[in-house]
Amino acid sequence: MRPQVVAHRGASHEQAEHTLGAYTAALDAGAEALECDVRLTADGHLVCVHDRDLRRTASTRGIVSTMNLADLDDLDFASWKNPWADLDDEAPEVDASLGKVLTLRSLLETVRDYDHRVELAIETKHPVRYGGLVERRLVETLADFGWAGADSPARVMSFSWSALQRVERLAPELDVVMLIEKAHHWPMLRRVIGEDWKVGPGVEELREHPGLARRLVASKRDLHVWTVNNAADLELCLELGASAVISDRPAYMLELLGGSEDTATGV
């Protein structure tokens, strides 16, 4: 079966990442899963933000973990993507709410209310100020939706082995994905990760280190590859039998694969 197409931070090639606008565009394009990063605010809310500070995406030096949700809600998370939009008289009017900070709960509600099953790949960032509280709040939030068990549409990803261990203790039936940033990390990781854990290598490491690709295939684990944005990288993923491709360009990936499917692959 072909890999599941996962929208990396939404349709983030065209839209500002981690905004409702980016995720809505990904769903409209037929993405079968949505990827997001989560961080915990000072008042305990999980928000979809990649960087620890907001200089890149909201033009402020604020640190997510030191700010309350209300403070974040006052910021514009979309204008950086197209800073000249105000000068284009022919640009369509955009709903400002689509470019506000997005809470994980709001994203889960969007997925829950969609007209067919969409999966979620949720990455926890580490090291962070609140440590293991991030995974605890994440599992609690998933449980509020009835999504902390075996049939959950959500899976949890991290570069932190300890973080995924926490998830496994809190919600043993949730799927977890051990992200791999460097090829030389795999020999150590393969000895300590759970038997059922999936692995998420970066496509650049797979290209530059064919030995890593061979060893991962030999491990017979599901491969969730990031960030796959062009035809050559997609072809490599197909050759390796990847279960999921995580892409900034979900519409393009679906086009290359021949269109979306009503039923995503089992990942």
Side-chain angles (χ1 to χ4, degrees):
M1 298 182 67
R2 72 157 176 79
Q4 181 187 66
V5 175
V6 185
H8 184 240
R9 310 178 197 175
S12 56
H13 180 72
E14 297 87 9
Q15 303 285 332
E17 66 184 56
H18 283 131
T19 60
L20 185 58
Y23 288 111
T24 300
L27 291 171
D28 289 345
E32 296 145 350
L34 307 177
E35 186 271 350
C36 68
D37 307 285
V38 293
R39 291 183 176 275
L40 199 60
T41 65
D43 54 345
H45 295 273
L46 286 169
V47 291
C48 301
V49 179
H50 180 272
D51 304 350
R52 66 183 295 272
D53 68 67
L54 301 169
R55 286 176 292 183
R56 181 174 63 89
T57 56
S59 301
T60 176
R61 291 183 178 274
I63 306 297
V64 175
S65 62
T66 67
M67 300 175 69
N68 291 334
L69 179 60
D71 300 322
L72 292 169
D73 197 48
D74 287 336
L75 302 175
D76 178 348
F77 281 79
S79 294
W80 68 273
K81 187 71 173 179
N82 185 8
W84 311 112
D86 289 344
L87 302 179
D88 184 357
D89 293 335
E90 298 181 359
E93 188 171 342
V94 178
D95 183 350
S97 68
L98 297 178
K100 307 290 283 183
V101 68
L102 181 65
T103 65
L104 177 64
R105 186 171 294 275
S106 293
L107 181 58
L108 297 182
E109 290 170 348
T110 299
V111 169
R112 179 196 61 194
D113 297 339
Y114 205 59
D115 60 9
H116 62 264
R117 180 181 172 98
V118 176
E119 297 191 357
L120 290 145
I122 305 170
E123 180 184 344
T124 63
K125 313 298 291 185
H126 288 280
V128 290
R129 182 185 305 269
Y130 301 115
L133 183 58
V134 175
E135 283 75 38
R136 182 171 297 279
R137 288 290 169 84
L138 171 55
V139 171
E140 290 172 351
T141 303
L142 290 173
D144 289 344
F145 288 77
W147 290 350
D151 193 41
S152 174
R155 54 185 177 265
V156 182
M157 310 190 300
S158 186
F159 289 102
S160 168
W161 170 70
S162 298
L164 296 181
Q165 276 198 313
R166 285 192 289 270
V167 172
E168 192 170 55
R169 287 195 298 270
L170 293 165
E173 294 181 307
L174 273 182
D175 283 338
V176 298
V177 183
M178 182 77 241
L179 297 174
I180 303 171
E181 189 169 19
K182 298 296 182 182
H184 67 265
H185 293 168
W186 175 242
M188 181 273 291
L189 288 172
R190 70 180 178 84
R191 294 182 172 89
V192 297
I193 64 176
E195 292 183 2
D196 297 330
W197 290 19
K198 306 173 193 306
V199 292
V203 71
E204 291 185 7
E205 289 297 291
L206 294 177
R207 279 200 315 265
E208 296 174 8
H209 301 277
L212 171 65
R214 290 194 297 270
R215 288 190 290 272
L216 290 178
V217 170
S219 75
K220 301 188 184 303
R221 294 177 182 272
D222 284 350
L223 302 184
H224 294 206
V225 184
W226 53 274
T227 304
V228 182
N229 286 331
N230 59 56
D233 286 347
L234 178 60
E235 184 60 32
L236 174 59
C237 292
L238 294 174
E239 291 173 2
L240 298 176
S243 299
V245 292
I246 303 171
S247 177
D248 300 328
R249 308 175 68 188
Y252 180 50
M253 291 296 108
L254 289 165
E255 178 184 344
L256 293 175
L257 289 167
S260 61
E261 295 180 346
D262 292 335
T263 303
T265 56
V267 294

